[in-house]
Amino acid sequence: MSSTTENLKEAFAGESQANQKYRAFAKRAETDGFPNVARLFRTAAEAERIHAEGHLKSLDGVRTTKDNLQEAIDGETYEFTTMYPPMLAEAQKENHRARIMFGFAVKAEAVHAALYKLALEAVAEGKDLTELSFYLCPVCGHIEFGKPPESCPICGAKAERFSQVA
């Protein structure tokens, strides 16, 4: 592998992390009463997303929808079967607060993989998903098609907390 390929992978990871970090920083700035600082963080986060997407394209990391769905299934499956379980066990052993989000992630990533499988089945038949409404739990990341449940099956958040994603 060329050093440019390794550089692109490192740059993609760094820009992706900066995007997420700046989005979190923006939420905090809003809470702290600094809306313009929050706007700056959100704008910078979007710039980092642009950089990350450019690096991913340079890595030929965006392929057909069918290929992208399979990669998403593989990634989500790795996360809930291999990556998160030992992280969760360690956090539980240490009674670290990360145990909560790790526990949520193990369950939510399994749901994500299942939903991607449904999408892959549709795309393999040349069809799109027929569901028009997607709901996201803002606490644990659980996704529901159709309508939000009375309470999140992973974290217990009430239906009214779910947000519809366009």
Side-chain angles (χ1 to χ4, degrees):
M1 212 175 302
S2 77
S3 61
T4 298
T5 298
E6 290 303 314
N7 290 341
L8 281 167
K9 288 179 181 179
E10 183 178 346
F12 175 71
E15 299 287 356
S16 297
Q17 288 178 22
N19 168 272
Q20 293 303 310
K21 188 172 11 176
Y22 295 165
R23 289 174 52 166
F25 290 176
K27 286 179 184 177
R28 179 56 189 256
E30 282 285 348
T31 300
D32 289 348
F34 302 107
N36 293 332
V37 173
R39 190 174 297 110
L40 172 60
F41 276 129
R42 283 192 302 274
T43 303
E46 183 63 12
E48 304 299 358
R49 184 203 57 77
I50 290 167
H51 299 158
E53 191 172 305
H55 300 326
L56 185 61
K57 285 179 182 176
S58 292
L59 284 164
D60 295 322
V62 180
R63 296 179 304 280
T64 68
T65 298
K66 188 175 175 184
D67 291 339
N68 294 338
L69 283 166
Q70 187 60 59
E71 184 170 329
I73 292 166
D74 294 345
E76 300 293 317
T77 301
Y78 167 78
E79 289 175 354
F80 80 82
T81 61
T82 305
M83 185 180 87
Y84 279 121
M87 292 177 177
L88 174 59
E90 186 69 23
Q92 288 171 331
K93 187 172 91 178
E94 295 175 3
N95 199 29
H96 193 286
R97 67 182 183 183
R99 72 189 184 284
I100 296 167
M101 190 52 73
F102 287 160
F104 291 163
V106 166
K107 294 174 183 172
E109 303 300 7
V111 172
H112 300 170
L115 295 176
Y116 281 135
K117 285 178 184 175
L118 289 174
L120 181 59
E121 290 168 8
V123 168
E125 294 177 8
K127 299 176 183 173
D128 197 357
L129 288 170
T130 56
E131 187 54 61
L132 301 176
S133 300
F134 300 84
Y135 291 88
L136 176 65
C137 176
V139 176
C140 70
H142 175 68
I143 298 171
E144 282 283 336
F145 283 177
K147 65 178 187 168
E150 290 269 330
S151 64
C152 179
I154 295 175
C155 70
K158 299 297 177 204
E160 56 271 10
R161 296 205 53 203
F162 276 67
S163 60
Q164 189 170 12
V165 180

